[in-house]
Amino acid sequence: MTEASIEAGYNFGYLDENTKRMIRRALLKAVAVPGYQVPFGSREMPLPYGWGTGGIQVTASIIGADDTLKVIDQGADDTTNAVSIRRFFNRVTGVATTEHTAAATIIQTRHRVPEAKLREGQVLVYQVPMPEPLFRLEPRVAETKRMHALADYGLMHVKLYEDIARHGAATTSYNYPVLVNQRYLMSPSPIPAFDNPKLDRMPALQLFGAGREKRIYAVPPWTEVKSLDFEDHPFQPARADAACVICGARDSYLDELIVDDSGKRHFVCSDTDYCASRPPVQDAAA
Amino acid sequence: MYVAVKGGERAIGNAHAWLDEARRGDPALAELDVAQVEQQLGLAVDRVMAEGSCYDRGLAALAVKQARGDLIEAAFLLRAYRTTLARFGASEPVETGAMRIQRRISATYKDLPGGQVLGPTFDYTHRLLDFALAAEREAVAPAPEGVADPAPMPRVTELLAREGLMRRESRSDAEPPDLTRDPLNFPVPRAAWLQALARGDEGFLLGLGYSTQRGYGNSHPFAGEIRMGEVTVEFTPPELGFAIELGEIVLTECQMVNQFAGSKSEPPQFTRGYGLVFGHGERKAMAMALVDRGLRAEELGEPVDAPAQSQEFVLYHCDNVEATGFVEHLKLPHYVDFQSELEKLRSLRQEAGQ
């Protein structure tokens, strides 16, 4: 695409070059200290806080004219907010967009990690609502900063222990805390715990942007990402015990649909690109 | 086969077309002019300038019109525009002591140098709906004009300070932080929290300020002085080396006078809470002054146990653009998280049933 296709009056990627440079510096620091939350001068964006402003600023700072962008929300390319963010980047960069995971160089996501394995050279940009994994246990940021500095994560282990003692299992089903590079406790963003294992030693670069909370963090390629657990209660990712009614997949994460008044349920892949890449099930009533 | 209904580009486009139509309302009626909004809904414009932290009446009026009168949405529009503007420098500090006064009142002195000036206020109006306003009116007769008192209007807090009764503010010539450029890093200096409060949500600050009056961080306030009027904005271009006048802006300033019992190192004296907002925003300025005083609890050695005294509580939650974004993001799809919760809940219930 040519420069002419960019919205008149705006810089490539919307942000001015100095802002991009400030964000890139924060990204470099984040990559250098995996899992550490780097404060950054988050800008007010033309999309609302909480709707992906952190991810958008990260993407805007790293995107170039040769990139191919994919935007997903809940795993799907056609959810309204994904459509809106993709259209935003189309207006302010004019770069090519795609729905195919393999064809994208940058994938901005909310709440999912694609089912297809990512490769080296790809960048996965997560939209993060609350970057602080400890905030439900300790709302004071000054205090959680101290806990991270001392790697004092006992509070989280006690929480897990109490879950197991009371319910027999961890009750956290999404945004399940991980330890990055054996040092920093990190929120993987509200992805289902099912996706957590994909973060571990992922060949692609993972960048996390929290606009409202003004934090950036990162997991460099091939970095260890371990979901918190105990030796006698290992981490257990879960998915619905069903098959996708469209493609029959039993290995993908599923959305549950209620299809009639009696509460009959169908399950479909949340990752629409993964689903579309597989042959459809012959029997439509499956 | 059931196909999941997820929004598409066309649905968004159509929804926004409907929004345009709804904004316009009945086409048989004259369309609202931005200049009319600016002139006749001036306090809405002032609030949007304050919370949008951008002093431009025309743009704020446009934002009010575009937002269909939703003032938080309008502030959001103005902020999103503001971030795209180049920043060529910072003005000299404005001198509110030299304000061209439209309104100046003190609740602590019956009379004082410069006198009490009521100005255009709702105070002492009887809140009776004026049905005459619903009808087309003849031109409004101009308000009677008096002769302005040429005497200077010293600040009330300065009069108290001269007597040694008002705690002196610690003076600093350090470059103030800019919270639109650098994230808050707690604990933050007063200059940073005053910035946050000045653009904070009027309703939130009103509630918090009110809470300090009701015992949650009691600070025994008196409205030492409220003044509203034009101040001159000056700027020193580096290539000139001296200040030039850029223009005038309207500000509302409130200085609350609060009791202070004293500490080991300081005698009993008055302390102040400070509020300053763009435009005519008296309620906001007063609420801000109450909350500012609340936030000074730690500095003054008072117990910090009320919401209005907690920096993180006040400053992380006073910004309505941040707050509305995050509250309203709950409208976005959360199928994936909800699905994982469903599965977790089913499995926990199954285990409990066994």
Side-chain angles (χ1 to χ4, degrees), chain A residues 205-217:
Chain A
L205 170 63
Q206 302 176 73
L207 303 175
F208 297 78
R212 190 178 38 78
E213 298 285 332
K214 304 170 180 61
R215 296 287 187 278
I216 280 173
Y217 52 100

Side-chain angles (χ1 to χ4, degrees), chain A residues 122-170:
Chain A
Q122 287 183 307
V123 183
L124 185 58
V125 177
Y126 294 78
Q127 299 170 202
V128 180
M130 290 301 279
E132 179 48 67
L134 297 162
F135 85 95
R136 287 187 201 283
L137 305 172
E138 173 51 70
R140 291 170 298 176
V141 176
E143 187 59 21
T144 54
K145 263 170 72 177
R146 191 193 63 79
M147 293 159 77
H148 283 294
L150 301 173
D152 174 7
Y153 300 135
L155 207 55
M156 187 58 91
H157 282 112
V158 169
K159 191 254 178 212
L160 277 178
Y161 171 79
E162 286 182 348
D163 275 1
I164 292 167
R166 233 176 263 164
H167 305 285

